[in-house]
């Protein structure tokens, strides 16, 4: 099953590799010079979602097959990557532009890591007083220019073919946008948002640019991670950016602080809960097995607390992941064998809510059966949720019916695991519905 992939993007030295290391198991190379990253770094991250174990009093029995559950918060694995730094002119091939833009096609959503401190210029070189608003503006412009130029240089041929075969607008555009990982439902949503009703053959360049603008919003939803918030000049830049852009897509972050806390947690100096300001030391927990810290390490921890945790509530990196998932609209689903005990299918180990799968908006109960395994779909009888309430095949999965038990005509082999399923969990394409 195809996993969700988030891409960290931005100019060189903005902190993309540090951010990837902070939210995943990756060990991306980090440097304070441009193009530290040449090829994309990949890792597995864990996005926080509500786990039903808390609602149904099963915290002690919750045993995630993948990821973890902490006090009713489930950390579900997703794929992450950071790609080569982008510089102005990338759409014309400058810097590592062609490689960077090609890498984007595989991502479901983007995390734009911005150096909010203003200590690096547009090319990732050290600077003073640089305005990070420039980075937010031109990154989107470069991606927009890349897509628009690819369309316009073929536009006359696109129009001739559109007229010749009497195609509809969505089908014509989908042929062009398929190279960016799009499906027809994405193009349809973009056209609906654009409000454009005029025939395609009458479009001028400005109309094409407007279509691309709305296509980008749907195909590449973006969270802006304002990184390096603990630097001296960050505050004034944060204020300016907050006034200008949609705050629902802005998150304040310190990737270096998160990396530091994770490192000393692993070394058993602290207890640290991801996504919070809770850091406990040997002094706080004298009877614990935590190691005592020397004065130097203690001062570093206190500095992170003063500049980041106590001021902003967290390092922000977990919030970025949660915001990206929110923009995608995906929902967690918990397939179980029994809606009373919440034990899971295909599991030899005891425990509740073993599996959690993120599905795209619009996924139906029967559609999820196909995602789980072809045999569940083939021998499907019915599905039920908590309270033995039967679910319609066409019911769209949401947070009120996302604990699901499937009943089949024959027993499905225990060797048929969710993890080995090859069915792609791609965004549902309206054209493929029967």
């Amino acid at each position: 099953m195809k996993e969700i992939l988030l891409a960290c993007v931005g100019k060189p030295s903005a902190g993309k590799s540090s951010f990837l290391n902070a939210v995943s198991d990756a060990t991306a190379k980090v440097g304070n010079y441009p193009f530290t990253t040449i090829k994309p770094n990949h890792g597995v991250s864990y996005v926080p979602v509500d786990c039903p174990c808390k609602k149904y009093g099963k915290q002690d029995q919750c045993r995630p097959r993948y990821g973890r559950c902490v006090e009713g918060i489930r950390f579900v694995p997703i794929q992450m990557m950071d790609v080569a730094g982008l510089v102005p002119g990338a759409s014309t091939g400058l810097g590592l532009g062609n490689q960077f833009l090609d890498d984007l096609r595989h991502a479901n959503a983007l995390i734009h890591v911005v150096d909010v401190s203003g200590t690096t210029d547009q090319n990732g070189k050290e600077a003073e007083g640089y305005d990070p608003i420039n980075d937010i503006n031109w990154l989107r412009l470069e991606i927009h220019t890349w897509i628009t130029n690819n369309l316009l240089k073929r536009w006359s041929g696109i129009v001739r073919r559109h007229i010749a075969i009497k195609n509809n607008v969505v089908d014509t555009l989908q042929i062009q946008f398929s190279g960016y990982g799009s499906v027809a439902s994405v193009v349809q949503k973009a056209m609906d948002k654009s409000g454009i009703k005029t025939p395609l053959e009458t479009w001028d360049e400005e109309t094409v640019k407007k279509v691309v603008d709305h296509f980008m919003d749907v195909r590449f939803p973006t969270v802006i991670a304002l990184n390096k918030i603990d630097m001296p000049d960050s505050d004034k830049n944060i204020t300016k950016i907050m006034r200008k852009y949609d705050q629902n897509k802005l998150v304040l972050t310190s990737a270096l602080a998160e990396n530091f806390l994770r490192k000393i947690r692993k070394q058993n100096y602290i207890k640290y809960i991801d996504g919070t300001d809770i850091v406990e030391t040997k002094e706080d927990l004298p009877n614990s097995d935590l190691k005592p810290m020397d004065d130097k390490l203690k001062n570093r921890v206190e500095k992170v607390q003063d500049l980041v945790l106590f001021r902003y509530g967290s390092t922000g990196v977990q919030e970025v992941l949660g915001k990206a998932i929110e923009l995608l609209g995906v929902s967690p689903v918990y397939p179980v064998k029994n809606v009373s005990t919440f034990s899971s299918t295909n599991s030899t180990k005891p425990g509740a809510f073993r599996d959690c799968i993120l599905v795209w908006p619009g996924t139906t109960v029967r559609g999820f059966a196909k995602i789980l395994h072809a045999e569940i779909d083939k021998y499907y009888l019915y599905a039920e949720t908590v309270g033995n309430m039967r679910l319609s095949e066409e019911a769209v999965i949401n947070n009120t019916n996302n604990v699901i038990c499937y009943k089949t005509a024959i027993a499905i082999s225990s060797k048929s695991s969710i993890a080995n399923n090859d069915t792609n969990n791609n965004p549902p394409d309206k054209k493929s519905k029967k």
Side-chain angles (χ1 to χ4, degrees):
M1 185 167 67
K2 184 178 180 182
E3 293 181 272
I4 291 171
L5 174 63
L6 305 181
C8 297
V9 300
K11 71 182 183 184
S13 303
K16 299 183 303 299
S17 295
S18 295
F19 184 89
L20 181 70
N21 292 340
V23 296
S24 74
D25 57 3
T27 53
K29 185 178 179 182
V30 177
N32 61 347
Y33 49 89
F35 304 124
T36 305
T37 301
I38 302 299
K39 294 182 179 179
N41 294 302
H42 290 263
V44 176
S45 189
Y46 298 87
V47 61
V49 298
D50 290 332
C51 184
C53 69
K54 186 174 183 178
K55 180 179 180 180
Y56 298 109
K58 297 289 184 178
Q59 295 99 316
D60 294 340
Q61 301 170 44
C62 190
R63 302 284 187 274
R65 191 190 306 269
Y66 304 106
R68 63 191 185 279
C69 183
V70 180
E71 297 182 1
I73 300 298
R74 185 72 163 252
F75 292 87
V76 184
I78 58 172
Q79 293 293 318
M80 294 282 297
M81 73 172 179
D82 80 301
V83 295
L86 182 69
V87 297
S91 57
T92 61
L94 294 182
L96 300 175
N98 290 331
Q99 176 181 321
F100 168 89
L101 295 168
D102 188 62
D103 291 334
L104 290 187
R105 299 185 303 165
H106 307 291
N108 299 113
L110 308 181
I111 296 172
H112 183 187
V113 182
V114 174
D115 177 0
V116 77
S117 70
T119 54
T120 52
D121 65 16
Q122 69 269 24
N123 295 308
K125 297 178 181 178
E126 290 187 15
E128 291 184 8
Y130 178 77
D131 190 348
I133 285 180
N134 297 332
D135 297 338
I136 299 174
N137 292 339
W138 64 250
L139 185 137
R140 181 177 174 89
L141 178 62
E142 288 296 338
I143 300 173
H144 189 283
T145 302
W146 172 51
I147 298 174
T148 301
N149 286 348
N150 286 341
L151 269 181
L152 291 178
K153 67 184 179 183
R154 299 193 301 268
W155 190 248
S156 59
I158 293 170
V159 171
R160 285 197 301 271
R161 186 176 186 276
H162 174 76
I163 295 173
I165 65 175
K166 298 180 180 180
N167 223 347
N168 63 58
V169 172
V170 170
D171 287 343
T172 293
L173 291 178
Q174 170 54 22
I175 293 172
Q176 306 306 317
F177 289 149
S178 61
Y180 308 109
S182 177
V183 293
S185 58
V186 169
V187 178
Q188 182 66 65
K189 187 174 181 180
M191 289 304 300
D192 291 342
K193 285 179 172 291
S194 74
I196 297 172
K197 303 296 182 182
T198 55
L200 180 142
E201 59 269 23
T202 67
W203 293 359
D204 57 13
E205 184 173 325
E206 289 305 311
T207 304
V208 173
K209 289 180 178 179
K210 182 178 179 182
V211 169
V212 172
D213 205 41
H214 288 282
F215 171 73
M216 282 183 58
D217 288 340
V218 179
R219 175 60 189 87
F220 297 112
T222 303
V223 178
I224 300 174
L226 301 178
N227 195 32
K228 306 183 184 181
I229 56 176
D230 50 337
M231 299 290 282
D233 290 338
S234 295
D235 282 350
K236 64 179 183 180
N237 292 328
I238 289 170
T239 300
K240 287 194 301 182
I241 293 171
M242 288 291 186
R243 288 173 179 169
K244 185 171 182 178
Y245 296 96
D246 181 1
Q247 294 189 22
N248 289 324
K249 296 182 179 180
L250 301 174
V251 181
L252 306 180
T253 65
S254 175
L256 285 181
E258 180 71 15
N259 278 314
F260 170 66
L261 293 173
R262 286 175 52 143
K263 179 181 178 180
I264 61 174
R265 178 177 64 183
K266 187 175 181 179
Q267 295 171 341
N268 203 36
Y269 284 108
I270 62 170
K271 287 189 181 298
Y272 167 56
I273 300 178
D274 296 347
T276 73
D277 62 354
I278 299 175
V279 175
E280 296 176 304
T281 66
K282 183 69 173 179
E283 291 183 359
D284 301 314
L285 303 169
N287 296 324
S288 69
D289 62 350
L290 292 176
K291 298 178 183 177
M293 297 187 293
D294 59 25
D295 289 341
K296 183 178 180 180
L297 184 56
K298 188 184 300 183
N299 288 335
R300 289 187 65 188
V301 171
E302 290 176 353
K303 186 176 181 180
V304 168
Q305 289 177 312
D306 291 340
L307 294 179
V308 180
L309 298 182
F310 295 159
R311 292 185 69 184
Y312 302 107
S314 74
T315 64
V317 296
Q318 287 295 329
E319 187 181 347
V320 171
L321 297 181
K323 188 71 69 173
I325 293 301
E326 180 184 321
L327 289 179
L328 287 173
V330 295
S331 303
V333 188
Y334 299 85
V336 298
K337 186 177 182 179
N338 187 297
V339 290
S340 297
T341 64
F342 306 111
S343 60
S344 289
T345 307
N346 307 325
S347 177
T348 57
K349 296 182 179 180
F353 303 112
R354 293 275 288 156
D355 298 299
C356 177
I357 300 173
L358 298 175
V359 299
W360 296 97
T363 300
T364 64
V365 170
R366 186 62 181 267
F368 184 58
K370 187 177 295 185
I371 289 171
L372 285 178
H373 200 280
E375 289 187 0
I376 295 178
D377 180 57
K378 182 178 180 179
Y379 298 107
Y380 179 96
L381 289 178
Y382 63 91
E384 59 184 12
T385 188
V386 180
N388 299 107
M389 183 182 299
R390 291 203 181 189
L391 298 170
S392 165
E393 290 185 25
E394 298 302 317
V396 174
I397 296 175
N398 54 50
N399 59 6
T400 65
N401 63 1
N402 63 345
V403 177
I404 302 177
C405 174
Y406 287 99
K407 303 298 183 180
T408 54
I410 65 171
I412 305 301
S413 170
S414 61
K415 296 181 180 179
S416 301
S417 72
I418 295 172
N420 292 329
N421 177 32
D422 292 327
T423 304
N424 283 344
N425 184 20
N426 288 316
D429 190 334
K430 292 180 180 179
K431 290 189 67 181
S432 65
K433 290 184 180 180
K434 297 181 179 180

